[in-house]
Amino acid sequence: MSLEGKVFQPADYTLLVVDDDPLNRELLRDAATVEGYAVQEAPDGAEALELISDAKPDVVLLDILMPGMNGLDVCRRIKSDERTRHIPVILITAQRGRQERLEGIAAGATDFLNKPVDISELRLRLRNAIRTKQLYDEVRSKWEQVAALEKLRDDLVHMIVHDLRSPLFCVLANLEEVQQNAGETLPEETSDSLTWALGAATTMNRMIDAMLDLSRLESGEMPLSLQTVDLNTLVAQSLVSTCTGVQRAQVMLEATDEDLPVSCDPDLMQRVVLNLLGNALDFSPTGEPVIVRTDRLNGHARVSVTDRGPGIPAEFRVKIFEKFGQIDGRRKGRKVSTGLGLAFCKLAVEAHGGVIGVKSQPGAGSIFWLELPCDLR
């Protein structure tokens, strides 16, 4: 339920009062109980942390000056724990100095109360702290709903894609058999149609492989066959394997003279390079060069692919690396990303302990780059 439609009821919330002085605890407990809050008490930091871990109160009223573990230490412990860092902490102090407040803010305190505590001020600060907690709970609830929907989508896509493999394999096998056995006897137009159909089915098969590999990379179930290879050699082999004669004339390789030994899965990393190169060729105007560079930078082996394509607006340079992330390019009649290739590249590079990114200027092309740690053994 959104906050606009929720009536504030103090009885729905639990406060934890932490103070070594029983009279102070009694004062705060009575003031909060009159308002309707449920109240728990702790005489020291250790017991407070146990109660917070078990009961997860909605707000903690925490005295700073306590023997043993003081309030600042308790606050730091609360905020350093992923399970409790969202709980608002109101520090209570007898001092009014600026330094103590700065230390409290640094420890993660939500608010402050001065002793002697003014009951009207206490009520207001409690309501503000509760509202902070409500906002957090609402955002977390919506995030969990979105996460559940994304998992449902991913599971559905994975199931559909997996089930498509068998019929698509059958289509590919039969198209290849027809082309091998009857290709030369078919009319030219029919032969061209067969070639186009075979190419489309092959592309679809690669997309299915990419989606399944994405799922395996996301779940950490993608096995890596690590070898020490020279990244210069891997890139050069990638260019030879993917480029047609016309494309080879368009691609310029500028390799460093240094060896670039990296520990990687050669097949997986070659697919990354092919994806980046394929995108550059797709979006570069005919005749404009695509430049592939390799070099060493701060102990990392770097590969960059520069194109003269339409470029990517700044607000989309993160989105294109997300799964199913696309930039609508209808005004240019195409999309900047397929929604799969760059997401695969990002996960594959990160699985090797590397990083990937893009520099771009709309209308002036893009530079996609990746860096892998050099293997210094």
Side-chain angles (χ1 to χ4, degrees), residues 77-133:
R77 293 277 294 272
I78 294 171
K79 296 301 179 178
S80 66
D81 190 329
E82 182 69 31
R83 299 167 301 172
T84 60
R85 63 174 53 177
H86 62 280
I87 299 174
V89 176
I90 301 176
L91 291 178
I92 303 174
T93 176
Q95 301 181 21
R96 298 174 181 267
R98 176 173 177 271
Q99 184 59 35
E100 189 170 59
R101 284 182 174 266
L102 290 176
E103 290 178 357
I105 292 170
T110 308
D111 207 342
F112 297 86
L113 273 171
N114 291 315
K115 292 182 179 179
V117 174
D118 181 275
I119 300 304
S120 297
E121 184 181 2
L122 172 64
R123 294 193 191 103
L124 291 174
R125 295 192 184 277
L126 282 177
R127 281 179 173 264
N128 286 338
I130 290 295
R131 179 170 175 78
T132 299
K133 179 68 163 46

CSV table of all heavy atoms in Angstrom, one decimal, residues 77-133:
chain,number,residue,atom,x,y,z
A,77,ARG,N,27.5,-0.4,14.3
A,77,ARG,CA,27.3,-1.8,14.1
A,77,ARG,C,25.9,-2.0,13.4
A,77,ARG,O,25.8,-2.9,12.5
A,77,ARG,CB,27.3,-2.5,15.5
A,77,ARG,CG,28.6,-2.5,16.2
A,77,ARG,CD,29.5,-3.7,15.7
A,77,ARG,NE,28.9,-5.0,16.0
A,77,ARG,CZ,29.1,-5.6,17.2
A,77,ARG,NH1,29.9,-5.0,18.1
A,77,ARG,NH2,28.6,-6.8,17.4
A,78,ILE,N,24.9,-1.2,13.8
A,78,ILE,CA,23.6,-1.4,13.2
A,78,ILE,C,23.7,-1.0,11.7
A,78,ILE,O,23.2,-1.8,10.8
A,78,ILE,CB,22.6,-0.4,13.8
A,78,ILE,CG1,22.3,-0.8,15.3
A,78,ILE,CG2,21.3,-0.4,13.0
A,78,ILE,CD1,21.5,0.2,16.1
A,79,LYS,N,24.4,0.0,11.3
A,79,LYS,CA,24.4,0.5,10.0
A,79,LYS,C,25.4,-0.3,9.1
A,79,LYS,O,25.3,-0.3,7.9
A,79,LYS,CB,24.8,2.0,9.9
A,79,LYS,CG,23.8,2.9,10.6
A,79,LYS,CD,22.5,2.8,9.9
A,79,LYS,CE,21.4,3.6,10.6
A,79,LYS,NZ,20.1,3.6,9.9
A,80,SER,N,26.3,-1.1,9.7
A,80,SER,CA,27.2,-1.9,8.9
A,80,SER,C,26.6,-3.3,8.6
A,80,SER,O,27.2,-4.0,7.8
A,80,SER,CB,28.5,-2.1,9.7
A,80,SER,OG,28.3,-2.9,10.9
A,81,ASP,N,25.5,-3.6,9.2
A,81,ASP,CA,24.8,-4.9,8.9
A,81,ASP,C,23.7,-4.7,7.9
A,81,ASP,O,22.8,-3.9,8.0
A,81,ASP,CB,24.2,-5.4,10.2
A,81,ASP,CG,23.7,-6.9,10.1
A,81,ASP,OD1,23.3,-7.3,9.0
A,81,ASP,OD2,23.8,-7.6,11.2
A,82,GLU,N,23.9,-5.5,6.8
A,82,GLU,CA,22.9,-5.4,5.7
A,82,GLU,C,21.5,-5.6,6.2
A,82,GLU,O,20.5,-5.1,5.6
A,82,GLU,CB,23.3,-6.4,4.6
A,82,GLU,CG,22.4,-6.4,3.4
A,82,GLU,CD,22.6,-5.1,2.6
A,82,GLU,OE1,23.7,-4.6,2.6
A,82,GLU,OE2,21.6,-4.7,2.0
A,83,ARG,N,21.3,-6.5,7.2
A,83,ARG,CA,20.0,-6.8,7.7
A,83,ARG,C,19.3,-5.7,8.5
A,83,ARG,O,18.1,-5.7,8.7
A,83,ARG,CB,20.0,-8.1,8.5
A,83,ARG,CG,20.5,-9.3,7.8
A,83,ARG,CD,20.8,-10.4,8.8
A,83,ARG,NE,21.9,-10.0,9.7
A,83,ARG,CZ,22.3,-10.7,10.8
A,83,ARG,NH1,21.7,-11.8,11.0
A,83,ARG,NH2,23.2,-10.3,11.6
A,84,THR,N,20.1,-4.8,9.1
A,84,THR,CA,19.6,-3.8,10.0
A,84,THR,C,19.9,-2.3,9.6
A,84,THR,O,19.4,-1.4,10.2
A,84,THR,CB,20.1,-4.0,11.4
A,84,THR,OG1,21.5,-3.9,11.4
A,84,THR,CG2,19.7,-5.4,11.9
A,85,ARG,N,20.7,-2.1,8.5
A,85,ARG,CA,21.1,-0.8,8.2
A,85,ARG,C,20.0,0.2,7.9
A,85,ARG,O,20.1,1.4,7.9
A,85,ARG,CB,22.1,-0.8,7.1
A,85,ARG,CG,21.6,-1.3,5.8
A,85,ARG,CD,22.6,-1.1,4.7
A,85,ARG,NE,23.9,-1.7,5.1
A,85,ARG,CZ,25.0,-1.8,4.3
A,85,ARG,NH1,24.9,-1.3,3.0
A,85,ARG,NH2,26.1,-2.4,4.7
A,86,HIS,N,18.8,-0.4,7.5
A,86,HIS,CA,17.7,0.5,7.1
A,86,HIS,C,16.9,1.0,8.3
A,86,HIS,O,16.0,1.8,8.2
A,86,HIS,CB,16.7,-0.3,6.3
A,86,HIS,CG,16.1,-1.5,7.0
A,86,HIS,ND1,16.8,-2.7,7.1
A,86,HIS,CD2,14.9,-1.7,7.6
A,86,HIS,CE1,16.1,-3.6,7.8
A,86,HIS,NE2,14.9,-3.0,8.1
A,87,ILE,N,17.2,0.5,9.5
A,87,ILE,CA,16.4,0.9,10.7
A,87,ILE,C,16.9,2.3,11.1
A,87,ILE,O,18.0,2.6,11.4
A,87,ILE,CB,16.7,-0.1,11.9
A,87,ILE,CG1,16.2,-1.5,11.5
A,87,ILE,CG2,16.0,0.4,13.2
A,87,ILE,CD1,16.5,-2.5,12.5
A,88,PRO,N,15.9,3.3,11.3
A,88,PRO,CA,16.3,4.6,11.7
A,88,PRO,C,16.8,4.6,13.1
A,88,PRO,O,16.3,3.9,14.0
A,88,PRO,CB,15.0,5.4,11.6
A,88,PRO,CG,14.1,4.6,10.7
A,88,PRO,CD,14.5,3.2,10.9
A,89,VAL,N,17.9,5.4,13.4
A,89,VAL,CA,18.5,5.5,14.7
A,89,VAL,C,18.5,7.0,15.1
A,89,VAL,O,19.0,7.8,14.4
A,89,VAL,CB,20.0,5.0,14.7
A,89,VAL,CG1,20.6,5.2,16.1
A,89,VAL,CG2,20.0,3.5,14.3
A,90,ILE,N,17.8,7.2,16.2
A,90,ILE,CA,17.8,8.6,16.8
A,90,ILE,C,18.8,8.6,18.0
A,90,ILE,O,18.5,7.9,19.0
A,90,ILE,CB,16.4,9.0,17.3
A,90,ILE,CG1,15.4,9.0,16.1
A,90,ILE,CG2,16.4,10.4,17.9
A,90,ILE,CD1,14.0,9.3,16.4
A,91,LEU,N,19.8,9.4,17.9
A,91,LEU,CA,20.8,9.4,19.0
A,91,LEU,C,20.4,10.5,20.0
A,91,LEU,O,19.9,11.6,19.6
A,91,LEU,CB,22.2,9.8,18.4
A,91,LEU,CG,22.9,8.8,17.6
A,91,LEU,CD1,24.2,9.3,17.0
A,91,LEU,CD2,23.1,7.5,18.3
A,92,ILE,N,20.5,10.1,21.3
A,92,ILE,CA,20.1,11.0,22.4
A,92,ILE,C,21.4,11.4,23.1
A,92,ILE,O,22.2,10.5,23.5
A,92,ILE,CB,19.1,10.3,23.3
A,92,ILE,CG1,17.9,9.8,22.5
A,92,ILE,CG2,18.7,11.2,24.5
A,92,ILE,CD1,17.0,9.0,23.4
A,93,THR,N,21.6,12.7,23.3
A,93,THR,CA,22.9,13.2,23.9
A,93,THR,C,22.6,14.3,24.8
A,93,THR,O,21.7,15.1,24.6
A,93,THR,CB,23.8,13.6,22.7
A,93,THR,OG1,25.0,14.2,23.3
A,93,THR,CG2,23.2,14.7,21.8
A,94,ALA,N,23.4,14.4,25.8
A,94,ALA,CA,23.4,15.5,26.8
A,94,ALA,C,24.2,16.6,26.3
A,94,ALA,O,24.2,17.7,26.9
A,94,ALA,CB,23.8,15.0,28.2
A,95,GLN,N,25.1,16.4,25.3
A,95,GLN,CA,25.9,17.4,24.8
A,95,GLN,C,25.3,18.0,23.5
A,95,GLN,O,24.7,17.4,22.8
A,95,GLN,CB,27.3,16.8,24.5
A,95,GLN,CG,28.0,16.2,25.7
A,95,GLN,CD,29.3,15.6,25.3
A,95,GLN,OE1,30.0,16.0,24.4
A,95,GLN,NE2,29.8,14.7,26.2
A,96,ARG,N,25.7,19.3,23.3
A,96,ARG,CA,25.1,20.0,22.1
A,96,ARG,C,26.2,20.4,21.2
A,96,ARG,O,26.0,21.2,20.3
A,96,ARG,CB,24.3,21.2,22.6
A,96,ARG,CG,23.1,20.9,23.5
A,96,ARG,CD,22.5,22.2,24.0
A,96,ARG,NE,21.3,21.8,24.9
A,96,ARG,CZ,20.1,21.7,24.4
A,96,ARG,NH1,19.8,22.0,23.2
A,96,ARG,NH2,19.1,21.4,25.2
A,97,GLY,N,27.4,19.8,21.3
A,97,GLY,CA,28.5,20.2,20.5
A,97,GLY,C,28.4,19.7,19.1
A,97,GLY,O,27.8,18.7,18.7
A,98,ARG,N,29.0,20.5,18.2
A,98,ARG,CA,29.0,20.2,16.7
A,98,ARG,C,29.7,18.9,16.4
A,98,ARG,O,29.3,18.1,15.6
A,98,ARG,CB,29.6,21.4,16.0
A,98,ARG,CG,29.7,21.2,14.5
A,98,ARG,CD,30.2,22.5,13.8
A,98,ARG,NE,30.4,22.3,12.4
A,98,ARG,CZ,31.5,21.9,11.8
A,98,ARG,NH1,32.5,21.7,12.6
A,98,ARG,NH2,31.6,21.8,10.5
A,99,GLN,N,30.9,18.7,17.1
A,99,GLN,CA,31.7,17.6,16.8
A,99,GLN,C,30.9,16.2,17.1
A,99,GLN,O,31.0,15.3,16.3
A,99,GLN,CB,33.0,17.6,17.7
A,99,GLN,CG,34.0,16.5,17.4
A,99,GLN,CD,34.4,16.5,15.9
A,99,GLN,OE1,34.6,17.5,15.3
A,99,GLN,NE2,34.6,15.3,15.4
A,100,GLU,N,30.2,16.2,18.2
A,100,GLU,CA,29.4,15.0,18.5
A,100,GLU,C,28.4,14.7,17.4
A,100,GLU,O,28.1,13.6,17.1
A,100,GLU,CB,28.8,15.1,19.9
A,100,GLU,CG,28.2,13.8,20.4
A,100,GLU,CD,27.8,13.9,21.8
A,100,GLU,OE1,26.9,14.7,22.1
A,100,GLU,OE2,28.3,13.1,22.6
A,101,ARG,N,27.7,15.7,17.0
A,101,ARG,CA,26.7,15.5,15.9
A,101,ARG,C,27.4,15.0,14.6
A,101,ARG,O,26.8,14.2,13.9
A,101,ARG,CB,25.9,16.8,15.6
A,101,ARG,CG,24.9,17.1,16.7
A,101,ARG,CD,24.1,18.4,16.4
A,101,ARG,NE,23.0,18.5,17.4
A,101,ARG,CZ,21.8,18.1,17.3
A,101,ARG,NH1,21.5,17.5,16.2
A,101,ARG,NH2,20.9,18.3,18.2
A,102,LEU,N,28.5,15.6,14.3
A,102,LEU,CA,29.2,15.2,13.1
A,102,LEU,C,29.6,13.7,13.2
A,102,LEU,O,29.5,12.9,12.3
A,102,LEU,CB,30.5,16.0,12.8
A,102,LEU,CG,30.2,17.5,12.4
A,102,LEU,CD1,31.6,18.2,12.3
A,102,LEU,CD2,29.5,17.5,11.1
A,103,GLU,N,30.1,13.3,14.4
A,103,GLU,CA,30.4,11.9,14.6
A,103,GLU,C,29.2,11.0,14.5
A,103,GLU,O,29.2,9.9,14.0
A,103,GLU,CB,31.0,11.7,16.0
A,103,GLU,CG,32.4,12.3,16.1
A,103,GLU,CD,33.0,12.2,17.5
A,103,GLU,OE1,32.3,11.6,18.4
A,103,GLU,OE2,34.2,12.6,17.7
A,104,GLY,N,28.0,11.5,15.0
A,104,GLY,CA,26.8,10.8,14.9
A,104,GLY,C,26.3,10.6,13.4
A,104,GLY,O,25.9,9.5,13.0
A,105,ILE,N,26.5,11.7,12.6
A,105,ILE,CA,26.1,11.6,11.2
A,105,ILE,C,27.0,10.6,10.5
A,105,ILE,O,26.6,9.8,9.7
A,105,ILE,CB,26.2,13.0,10.6
A,105,ILE,CG1,25.1,13.9,11.1
A,105,ILE,CG2,26.1,12.9,9.0
A,105,ILE,CD1,25.3,15.3,10.7
A,106,ALA,N,28.3,10.6,10.8
A,106,ALA,CA,29.3,9.7,10.2
A,106,ALA,C,29.0,8.3,10.6
A,106,ALA,O,29.2,7.3,9.8
A,106,ALA,CB,30.7,10.1,10.7
A,107,ALA,N,28.4,8.1,11.8
A,107,ALA,CA,28.1,6.7,12.2
A,107,ALA,C,26.8,6.2,11.6
A,107,ALA,O,26.5,5.0,11.7
A,107,ALA,CB,27.9,6.7,13.8
A,108,GLY,N,26.0,7.1,11.0
A,108,GLY,CA,24.8,6.7,10.3
A,108,GLY,C,23.5,7.1,10.9
A,108,GLY,O,22.5,6.6,10.6
A,109,ALA,N,23.6,8.0,11.9
A,109,ALA,CA,22.4,8.4,12.7
A,109,ALA,C,21.4,9.0,11.8
A,109,ALA,O,21.8,9.8,10.9
A,109,ALA,CB,22.8,9.3,13.8
A,110,THR,N,20.1,8.8,12.0
A,110,THR,CA,19.0,9.4,11.2
A,110,THR,C,18.7,10.8,11.8
A,110,THR,O,18.3,11.7,11.1
A,110,THR,CB,17.8,8.5,11.3
A,110,THR,OG1,18.1,7.2,10.9
A,110,THR,CG2,16.7,9.0,10.4
A,111,ASP,N,18.7,10.9,13.2
A,111,ASP,CA,18.3,12.2,13.8
A,111,ASP,C,18.9,12.2,15.2
A,111,ASP,O,19.6,11.3,15.6
A,111,ASP,CB,16.8,12.2,13.9
A,111,ASP,CG,16.2,13.6,13.9
A,111,ASP,OD1,17.0,14.5,14.2
A,111,ASP,OD2,15.0,13.8,13.6
A,112,PHE,N,18.7,13.4,15.9
A,112,PHE,CA,19.2,13.6,17.2
A,112,PHE,C,18.2,14.2,18.1
A,112,PHE,O,17.2,14.9,17.7
A,112,PHE,CB,20.4,14.6,17.1
A,112,PHE,CG,21.6,14.1,16.3
A,112,PHE,CD1,21.6,14.4,14.9
A,112,PHE,CD2,22.6,13.5,16.9
A,112,PHE,CE1,22.7,14.0,14.2
A,112,PHE,CE2,23.7,13.1,16.2
A,112,PHE,CZ,23.7,13.3,14.8
A,113,LEU,N,18.3,13.8,19.4
A,113,LEU,CA,17.5,14.4,20.5
A,113,LEU,C,18.5,14.9,21.6
A,113,LEU,O,19.4,14.1,21.9
A,113,LEU,CB,16.5,13.4,21.0
A,113,LEU,CG,15.1,13.3,20.3
A,113,LEU,CD1,14.4,12.1,20.9
A,113,LEU,CD2,14.3,14.6,20.5
A,114,ASN,N,18.2,16.0,22.2
A,114,ASN,CA,19.0,16.5,23.3
A,114,ASN,C,18.4,16.2,24.6
A,114,ASN,O,17.1,16.3,24.7
A,114,ASN,CB,19.3,18.0,23.1
A,114,ASN,CG,20.2,18.4,22.0
A,114,ASN,OD1,21.2,17.7,21.7
A,114,ASN,ND2,19.8,19.4,21.2
A,115,LYS,N,19.2,15.9,25.6
A,115,LYS,CA,18.7,15.8,27.0
A,115,LYS,C,18.7,17.2,27.6
A,115,LYS,O,19.6,18.0,27.4
A,115,LYS,CB,19.6,14.8,27.8
A,115,LYS,CG,19.5,13.4,27.3
A,115,LYS,CD,20.4,12.5,28.2
A,115,LYS,CE,20.3,11.1,27.8
A,115,LYS,NZ,21.2,10.2,28.7
A,116,PRO,N,17.7,17.5,28.5
A,116,PRO,CA,16.5,16.7,28.8
A,116,PRO,C,15.6,16.6,27.6
A,116,PRO,O,15.4,17.6,26.9
A,116,PRO,CB,15.9,17.4,30.0
A,116,PRO,CG,16.3,18.8,29.8
A,116,PRO,CD,17.7,18.7,29.3
A,117,VAL,N,15.0,15.4,27.3
A,117,VAL,CA,14.2,15.2,26.1
A,117,VAL,C,12.9,16.0,26.2
A,117,VAL,O,12.2,15.9,27.3
A,117,VAL,CB,13.9,13.7,25.9
A,117,VAL,CG1,13.0,13.5,24.8
A,117,VAL,CG2,15.2,13.0,25.7
A,118,ASP,N,12.6,16.8,25.2
A,118,ASP,CA,11.3,17.4,25.1
A,118,ASP,C,10.3,16.5,24.5
A,118,ASP,O,10.5,16.0,23.4
A,118,ASP,CB,11.4,18.7,24.3
A,118,ASP,CG,10.1,19.4,24.1
A,118,ASP,OD1,9.3,19.1,23.2
A,118,ASP,OD2,9.9,20.4,24.9
A,119,ILE,N,9.2,16.2,25.2
A,119,ILE,CA,8.3,15.1,24.7
A,119,ILE,C,7.6,15.5,23.4
A,119,ILE,O,7.4,14.6,22.5
A,119,ILE,CB,7.2,14.9,25.8
A,119,ILE,CG1,7.8,14.5,27.1
A,119,ILE,CG2,6.2,13.9,25.3
A,119,ILE,CD1,8.7,13.2,27.0
A,120,SER,N,7.3,16.8,23.2
A,120,SER,CA,6.7,17.2,21.9
A,120,SER,C,7.7,17.0,20.8
A,120,SER,O,7.3,16.5,19.7
A,120,SER,CB,6.3,18.7,22.0
A,120,SER,OG,5.3,18.9,23.0
A,121,GLU,N,8.9,17.3,21.0
A,121,GLU,CA,10.0,17.1,20.0
A,121,GLU,C,10.2,15.6,19.8
A,121,GLU,O,10.3,15.2,18.6
A,121,GLU,CB,11.3,17.7,20.5
A,121,GLU,CG,12.4,17.6,19.4
A,121,GLU,CD,13.7,18.3,19.9
A,121,GLU,OE1,13.7,18.7,21.0
A,121,GLU,OE2,14.6,18.2,19.1
A,122,LEU,N,10.1,14.8,20.8
A,122,LEU,CA,10.2,13.4,20.7
A,122,LEU,C,9.2,12.8,19.7
A,122,LEU,O,9.4,12.0,18.8
A,122,LEU,CB,10.1,12.7,22.0
A,122,LEU,CG,10.1,11.2,22.0
A,122,LEU,CD1,11.3,10.5,21.5
A,122,LEU,CD2,9.8,10.6,23.4
A,123,ARG,N,7.9,13.2,19.9
A,123,ARG,CA,6.8,12.8,19.1
A,123,ARG,C,7.1,13.1,17.6
A,123,ARG,O,6.9,12.2,16.8
A,123,ARG,CB,5.5,13.4,19.5
A,123,ARG,CG,5.0,13.0,20.9
A,123,ARG,CD,3.6,13.4,21.1
A,123,ARG,NE,3.1,13.3,22.5
A,123,ARG,CZ,3.0,14.3,23.3
A,123,ARG,NH1,3.3,15.6,22.9
A,123,ARG,NH2,2.6,14.1,24.6
A,124,LEU,N,7.5,14.3,17.3
A,124,LEU,CA,7.7,14.7,16.0
A,124,LEU,C,8.9,13.9,15.3
A,124,LEU,O,8.8,13.5,14.2
A,124,LEU,CB,8.0,16.2,15.9
A,124,LEU,CG,6.9,17.2,16.2
A,124,LEU,CD1,7.3,18.6,16.3
A,124,LEU,CD2,5.7,17.0,15.2
A,125,ARG,N,10.0,13.8,16.1
A,125,ARG,CA,11.1,13.1,15.5
A,125,ARG,C,10.8,11.6,15.3
A,125,ARG,O,11.3,10.9,14.4
A,125,ARG,CB,12.3,13.3,16.4
A,125,ARG,CG,12.8,14.7,16.4
A,125,ARG,CD,14.1,14.9,17.0
A,125,ARG,NE,14.5,16.3,17.1
A,125,ARG,CZ,15.0,17.1,16.1
A,125,ARG,NH1,15.2,16.5,14.9
A,125,ARG,NH2,15.2,18.3,16.3
A,126,LEU,N,10.0,11.0,16.2
A,126,LEU,CA,9.6,9.6,16.0
A,126,LEU,C,8.7,9.5,14.7
A,126,LEU,O,8.9,8.5,13.9
A,126,LEU,CB,8.8,9.1,17.2
A,126,LEU,CG,9.6,8.7,18.4
A,126,LEU,CD1,8.6,8.3,19.6
A,126,LEU,CD2,10.5,7.6,18.1
A,127,ARG,N,7.8,10.4,14.5
A,127,ARG,CA,7.0,10.3,13.3
A,127,ARG,C,7.8,10.5,12.0
A,127,ARG,O,7.6,9.8,11.1
A,127,ARG,CB,5.9,11.4,13.3
A,127,ARG,CG,4.7,11.1,14.2
A,127,ARG,CD,3.7,12.3,14.2
A,127,ARG,NE,2.5,11.9,15.0
A,127,ARG,CZ,1.4,11.4,14.4
A,127,ARG,NH1,1.3,11.2,13.1
A,127,ARG,NH2,0.3,11.0,15.1
A,128,ASN,N,8.8,11.4,12.1
A,128,ASN,CA,9.7,11.5,10.9
A,128,ASN,C,10.5,10.3,10.7
A,128,ASN,O,10.7,9.8,9.5
A,128,ASN,CB,10.6,12.7,11.1
A,128,ASN,CG,9.9,14.0,11.0
A,128,ASN,OD1,8.8,14.1,10.3
A,128,ASN,ND2,10.5,15.1,11.5
A,129,ALA,N,11.0,9.6,11.8
A,129,ALA,CA,11.8,8.4,11.6
A,129,ALA,C,10.9,7.3,11.1
A,129,ALA,O,11.3,6.5,10.2
A,129,ALA,CB,12.4,8.0,13.0
A,130,ILE,N,9.6,7.2,11.6
A,130,ILE,CA,8.7,6.2,11.1
A,130,ILE,C,8.4,6.4,9.6
A,130,ILE,O,8.4,5.4,8.8
A,130,ILE,CB,7.4,6.2,11.9
A,130,ILE,CG1,7.7,5.7,13.3
A,130,ILE,CG2,6.3,5.4,11.2
A,130,ILE,CD1,8.1,4.2,13.4
A,131,ARG,N,8.3,7.6,9.2
A,131,ARG,CA,8.0,7.9,7.8
A,131,ARG,C,9.2,7.5,6.9
A,131,ARG,O,9.0,6.9,5.8
A,131,ARG,CB,7.8,9.4,7.5
A,131,ARG,CG,7.5,9.7,6.1
A,131,ARG,CD,7.0,11.1,5.8
A,131,ARG,NE,6.9,11.4,4.4
A,131,ARG,CZ,5.9,11.0,3.6
A,131,ARG,NH1,5.0,10.3,4.1
A,131,ARG,NH2,5.9,11.3,2.3
A,132,THR,N,10.4,7.7,7.4
A,132,THR,CA,11.6,7.2,6.7
A,132,THR,C,11.6,5.7,6.6
A,132,THR,O,11.8,5.2,5.5
A,132,THR,CB,12.9,7.6,7.5
A,132,THR,OG1,13.0,9.0,7.6
A,132,THR,CG2,14.1,7.1,6.8
A,133,LYS,N,11.2,5.0,7.6
A,133,LYS,CA,11.1,3.6,7.6
A,133,LYS,C,10.0,3.1,6.6
A,133,LYS,O,10.1,2.2,5.9
A,133,LYS,CB,10.8,3.0,9.0
A,133,LYS,CG,10.6,1.5,9.1
A,133,LYS,CD,11.9,0.8,8.9
A,133,LYS,CE,11.9,-0.6,9.4
A,133,LYS,NZ,10.7,-1.4,9.1
